[in-house]
Amino acid sequence: MLHVDPIFLAAPAAPQLTAGLPGPGGASVLAAEGALPPFSVTTVVTEARLDNWLAVVLVLAAGLYLYGVNRLRVRGDRWPVARTVFFLGPGLGGIASVTLTGLGAYDTTLLSVHMVQHMVLSMISPIFLALGAPVTLALRTLPPGPRKRLLAVVHSRIARIYSFPLVAFAIFVVNPFALYFTDLYRYTLEHGWAHELVHAHFIMTGCVFFWPLLGLDPLPGRWPHPARALLMLLSVPFHTVLGLTIMQSSTLFGGDWYPSLGLSWADPREDQVLAGGILWAGGEFVSVTMLAVLVVQWMRHAEREARRVDRELDRQEARQRATEATG
């Protein structure tokens, strides 16, 4: 387990990371400086870095979303505050919290930190990005030309294939096994660009899976709520199996990568057990919570449909009475 005794944290880290150690972003810089201290709550703040492309992308995405909301407000249209909070807070903010803070600096140093990133980037943030309905916002604010092009993309053949729930479910389930149980994971530790690509892949995989299930945007071929709830239920055991497999594995993920760092304040095997536990417990919690959210959406949809049917019946009765009165 990680040793976070305050007295120990105040002491210099020994031995330091080897200069020139390959790794992405902040981790490689800190390694080169030989200054990566023991992981703690404090280092999550002190090792934050905002000087990379992802910070620019997140700021740009937030700016465009707020610009769209403001355009609706100026012309007198309403946009739910909850959608804005979801998109900017747990959505974009969740991505920033695990990539731009000190967590991003330790993502090639501790497997447990990487697993926290995995959970947030592939499950938590995509869910709230979907609940923010950015495509709907864009369709309501874009000029006619760009709106038509966006609709063409949403209803394209590629979008229909990847948003089909069974395809999205297969991608969501298979990808982590393909990453962690092959040499691909070691490769991403050694090459910064590959590690950053995995981050982007986590986000896209989560969006592909959760957008058709929980999202509010118009997507082609969306399944009815009972089928969506069943698919969400089937995803619950997935993280249990993956997490337990990682915890019980006698082989270190990444080969000798983590032992070669020579960290006196973390044991690679214990950290791998912690990483598996994070994936297991976190996956169970998020899956069950999102299943509950989906059930609530299902109930609200049923209520709206019942009200719609009632209104139609009232209109039919009114027309019938009018016909009888004039007859």
Side-chain angles (χ1 to χ4, degrees):
M1 301 294 290
L2 299 182
H3 185 66
V4 292
D5 183 79
I7 298 177
F8 184 79
L9 293 181
Q16 303 291 355
L17 296 179
T18 305
L21 186 68
S28 60
V29 174
L30 290 169
E33 295 174 352
L36 192 60
F39 182 76
S40 67
V41 175
T42 302
T43 57
V44 173
V45 178
T46 59
E47 304 301 339
R49 303 183 65 87
L50 302 177
D51 55 348
N52 61 33
W53 63 271
L54 183 57
V56 176
V57 171
L58 293 176
V59 170
L60 181 61
L64 289 174
Y65 192 94
L66 290 175
Y67 174 73
V69 173
N70 184 65
R71 286 198 61 183
L72 290 180
R73 184 187 61 81
V74 168
R75 74 187 190 196
D77 293 339
R78 178 180 175 275
W79 183 257
V81 175
R83 294 185 183 182
T84 304
V85 173
F86 287 153
F87 188 84
L88 299 180
L92 297 181
I95 296 173
S97 69
V98 296
T99 55
L100 303 181
T101 66
L103 290 174
Y106 286 83
D107 61 358
T108 57
T109 305
L110 297 169
L111 181 62
S112 56
V113 171
H114 170 79
M115 284 304 173
V116 172
Q117 282 188 326
H118 180 150
M119 292 299 305
V120 173
L121 296 179
S122 66
M123 295 192 71
I124 298 176
S125 286
I127 289 169
F128 289 100
L129 292 176
L131 293 175
V135 176
T136 300
L137 179 62
L139 291 174
R140 293 181 60 181
T141 56
L142 286 173
R147 185 186 304 123
K148 289 181 179 179
R149 287 191 287 271
L150 178 58
L151 281 172
V153 172
V154 171
H155 294 282
S156 66
R157 183 175 183 180
I158 294 179
R160 288 197 301 269
I161 292 174
Y162 280 98
S163 64
F164 185 67
L166 287 180
V167 174
F169 178 77
I171 295 173
F172 186 74
V173 170
V174 171
N175 276 352
F177 287 94
L179 172 64
Y180 296 122
F181 295 96
T182 66
D183 293 333
L184 180 60
Y185 181 64
R186 174 60 184 259
Y187 186 86
T188 65
L189 293 173
E190 296 174 340
H191 300 83
W193 67 268
H195 198 78
E196 296 295 335
L197 187 62
V198 166
H199 289 169
H201 185 69
F202 281 157
I203 297 171
M204 289 187 292
T205 299
C207 288
V208 164
F209 180 64
F210 287 107
W211 224 287
L213 296 182
L214 300 169
L216 306 176
D217 289 321
L219 292 176
R222 191 187 294 273
W223 279 11
H225 283 87
R228 285 189 254 169
L230 176 61
L231 194 62
M232 183 68 74
L233 185 63
L234 292 175
S235 71
V236 173
F238 154 65
H239 284 96
T240 300
V241 173
L242 182 58
L244 288 175
T245 303
I246 292 174
M247 294 176 69
Q248 297 173 359
S249 176
S250 59
T251 303
L252 284 177
F253 283 47
D256 63 349
W257 173 269
Y258 294 110
S260 70
L261 300 180
L263 302 177
S264 61
W265 43 269
D267 180 85
R269 295 192 179 278
E270 292 183 357
D271 186 59
Q272 181 164 307
V273 173
L274 175 61
I278 291 172
L279 193 60
W280 175 17
E284 291 285 327
F285 175 77
V286 174
S287 295
V288 172
T289 302
M290 288 305 103
L291 180 60
V293 171
L294 186 57
V295 170
V296 171
Q297 288 183 343
W298 181 4
M299 294 172 62
R300 290 179 177 176
H301 174 78
E303 291 174 358
R304 289 194 301 268
E305 185 65 18
R307 288 195 298 267
R308 186 191 67 79
V309 172
D310 289 341
R311 288 194 300 268
E312 180 61 28
L313 290 175
D314 291 342
R315 285 192 293 267
Q316 291 178 6
E317 290 178 1
R319 286 194 297 266
Q320 184 176 1
R321 286 194 300 267
T323 302
E324 292 175 351
T326 57

